[in-house]
Amino acid sequence: MNAVQSDALVFFGATGDLAKKQIFPALYGMVEHNELHVPVIGVAFSQWSLTDLKKRAVESVKAARPDADKATLDTLLSLLSYVDGDYANPSTFTALKKALGDAQHPTHYLAIPPSMFGTVVQGLKAVKLTKGARVVVEKPFGRDLASAQALNRVISRAFPEEAVFRIDHYLGKEEIMNLLYFRFANSFLEPVWNRNYIESVQITAAEAFGVEGRGAFYESAGALRDVLENHLFQILALLAMEAPAYRGYAAVQQAKTAVFKAMRPLTKDDIVRGQFEGYRDEAGVDPTSDVETFAAVRVFVDSWRWADVPFYLRAGKELPMTAHEIFVSFKRPPQALFEDAVSRHHHPNYLRIRLQPDSVIALGARVKTPGEEFVGDKKELVVRTEHPAERPPYERLLTDALAGDRALYSSEESVEAAWTVVEPVLEDHHRAIPYVAGTWGPEEANDLLLGDDTWRVPTLKEN
Ligand code: BG6
């Protein structure tokens, strides 16, 4: 059954940071690709006028797209209108209803702090703007399991589950979609993709910058809630999931949810939290803050396929580089036929998948060096994927939401299952350990690694 195409896009948080950095450029891209033909109504409580919002839209598009052309930009501006008002005030929603005119199937996008989701949903419901509509909810979806469940209850009183689109923009990235494709469009991986052959899996999401003016937001989130529990868990789920039982969105959702459900809830000693020195001086940050800007965890997926295989995940700000990489270490050959190939610190075989800043899949293998001796070298078989026409994730995701396509969105069940894994350590944890900006976080993160494993520094360039 084809879903109904939305006939308006409402976005709350129109004057905010996300709108500036991501949403206006995405809307521009949608116009450019002939995917946006409906009115776009920005909503915020900033005492702005439509002129201010248009000015912001132009600045934001030009910053992201120096090649922006005037005609496309003018089309975007012609679609734009604006409602200013307090989300707690019913008159804001009356004004929105008026601005929506006879639209029957609006998509409401909540690009606002999670603490406001409930208020806005209730406001929409009170003026019957939820009927026939969809809602797109930004991450983090709740602050913990209880608040996610409460939010799901509020939302489900106003929208049926099929109208709820929980965004994790990582799912709209080419490199992340490729994980699903790479795993299940090939047959060679499956026989070795399990505890019999895989020693450990690492996922690193490093950012060389700090909180960039988002101190107040960060204080309510921290690295665990901001990146690790959602973006990195999604990557983990794609790596660890079973093959979807049939084609289609629901099967992928089920398979991913099963991974979250099989993950062993974290204990205090499975996580190391760090805070870069200087964070407490940021605007909006408590000078005694214990919020982490770095989090590393060791987690197990207690499934038939993955029992006892550690998954190590780390995410942080002010690290030495901006790069996301997956490193899957395979077990050593069972016998040391060649002395040089199996020394303790070699990982003779691994699969390295770089997701950012560019997309690379590399298979590490040892290859004999020409000559009499049976000695060799580590080599990589490298696939580099170029994405000349890659669409930014928000462009893809908002286009899908307007079309009612939920394939790249998360279900209530999977969101709650993911929170369940981190729930025990959200409040009950060791203090964040200071680290110097430009380093790989606190040394204590090494203690999470079992055996002789070491954290892999993402490779930025292949030899
Ligand atoms: C966001 C986080 O969800 O993801 C940010 O709030 C983080 O803190 C960002 O920097 C990373 O996303 P991307 O697409 O820039 O890798």
Side-chain angles (χ1 to χ4, degrees), residues 161-166 249 253 404-411:
E161 175 66 11
E162 61 274 15
V164 184
F165 290 67
R166 296 176 191 80
Y249 150 80
Q253 282 291 338
D405 180 348
R406 300 176 74 219
L408 299 176
Y409 286 86
S410 304
S411 67

Side-chain angles (χ1 to χ4, degrees), residues 139 169-170 173 207 209 214 217-218 226-227 231 317 324 356:
K139 61 140 278 251
H169 78 279
Y170 270 47
K173 290 181 183 240
E207 293 178 325
F209 47 86
R214 297 158 77 220
F217 160 75
Y218 219 74
D226 184 38
V227 171
H231 302 328
K317 305 271 184 205
H324 289 17
Q356 279 176 223

Side-chain angles (χ1 to χ4, degrees), residues 44-62:
F45 187 31
S46 302
Q47 294 177 337
W48 280 29
S49 65
L50 177 59
T51 313
D52 296 327
L53 192 74
K54 286 187 173 175
K55 193 162 158 263
R56 167 59 62 83
V58 172
E59 282 163 11
S60 132
V61 169
K62 285 190 171 163

